[in-house]
Amino acid sequence: MSLDPILLMGGSGAIGHHTARALRAAHPEVPLLIGGRDLAKAQRAADHIGGAQGVAIDSNADDLGLGDRPVSAVVVFYMDHA
């Protein structure tokens, strides 16, 4: 069975990064999207985790800036005071 990726919003921050690494170690087959406001930082975190892809997140957009990209779950690791 193929899963859509899990989106980790704030996955490049300290807690998100540690969680993504633990998730990757426990479930290496699950695709991960490391989301952040800074695409370069998200991609660096994704490269470090392995088997993940960095994506830019727009928290003001209904689709979070992902367009038609499907996700199976969303995990949020930051507060947005907006």
Side-chain angles (χ1 to χ4, degrees):
M1 177 171 93
S2 158
L3 293 174
D4 289 328
I6 296 172
L7 171 62
L8 290 92
M9 293 176 62
S12 60
I15 294 171
H17 192 125
H18 286 291
T19 303
R21 286 180 27 210
L23 184 58
R24 169 59 59 237
H27 301 283
E29 74 286 357
V30 175
L32 301 176
L33 295 177
I34 307 302
R37 290 171 244 196
D38 181 336
L39 178 58
K41 184 177 177 183
Q43 189 57 55
R44 279 193 304 273
D47 291 345
H48 184 256
I49 292 161
Q53 179 181 6
V55 293
I57 296 296
D58 179 356
S59 60
N60 294 316
D62 290 340
D63 63 0
L64 299 174
L66 299 176
D68 293 335
R69 172 181 255 154
V71 295
S72 59
V74 177
V75 184
V76 181
F77 290 106
Y78 70 90
M79 288 195 311
D80 187 350
H81 297 289

